[in-house]
Amino acid sequence: MLLTPLRLSPDRDIPAALLTELTSLYAAHREFHALSGDFPDPDDIRPEQVAAALADELAQPGVEVLLGRSAGRLVGVVITLARHPDPADPDPWIGLLMVDADRQRQGHGRELARLVEDRFRAEGRQAVRLAVLDGNDRALAFWTALGYEVIDHRSDRLHGRPCSVLRKVLSDGGRR
């Protein structure tokens, strides 16, 4: 699998063909979007909404949107944060990992997570964190199966949604 950063055009646009792929990927996750409230209507996610959401993400310092491709096809997207806004939190974060609904349960999510972890390890990072929204039991099971441990339960900073915070040590020097 190839993991590459999303690059916007000078006008901050996503190329049309890629935006179509991304919109299809996002739209296939109705349950998640109904839970998260990130889109006004999880049954009608539009390209302009996806483009705006990704542009907003990329406007934040230290945020990267990574595209996972296998055999030339977009199989997933990962949003990472080099650093959480809380200055007491030294770890990078995985803000989102979403796999094409037609390609789930084939190891793509596990591979995307491994590639992101490898990137953070290569940067000398000791651990990585993420948050799972309450009610997203499949995501919690996925991340804990990959070795992430629940370390906190709190509301997210942006929307106040309750979630579990998970952390995975990437090297021996990063113990809690």
Side-chain angles (χ1 to χ4, degrees), residues 19-164:
L19 183 55
T20 298
E21 287 180 293
L22 286 163
T23 302
S24 176
L25 189 146
Y26 272 68
H29 289 278
R30 187 220 172 276
E31 278 183 44
F32 171 75
H33 295 300
L35 182 64
S36 73
D38 290 337
F39 293 95
D41 182 355
D43 292 314
D44 187 26
I45 295 175
R46 299 181 176 269
E48 58 273 11
Q49 294 170 322
V50 173
L54 291 172
D56 288 348
E57 292 285 357
L58 288 169
Q60 303 303 313
V63 170
E64 209 172 16
V65 175
L66 303 168
L67 307 174
R69 290 194 175 278
S70 180
R73 181 176 173 196
L74 181 69
V75 296
V77 63
V78 184
I79 299 174
T80 63
L81 296 80
R83 172 168 207 99
H84 192 273
D86 181 350
D89 181 350
D91 297 327
W93 280 65
I94 297 173
L96 176 75
L97 186 150
M98 191 179 306
V99 174
D100 180 351
D102 293 336
R103 307 285 297 261
Q104 288 183 331
R105 307 202 59 81
Q106 298 176 22
H108 297 296
R110 182 177 297 270
E111 178 71 5
L112 285 169
R114 184 191 63 76
L115 289 169
V116 169
E117 292 166 6
D118 288 349
R119 287 170 65 97
F120 287 137
R121 263 189 215 94
E123 294 172 4
R125 304 308 288 267
Q126 302 299 307
V128 61
R129 296 184 193 205
L130 56 91
V132 174
L133 293 172
D134 282 5
N136 195 347
D137 299 334
R138 285 180 46 195
L140 187 60
F142 170 79
W143 290 111
T144 56
L146 294 182
Y148 287 76
E149 297 176 10
V150 176
I151 62 165
D152 196 6
H153 190 84
R154 63 182 183 223
S155 296
D156 73 14
R157 291 175 62 98
L158 190 58
H159 301 291
R161 302 169 294 194
C163 57
S164 295

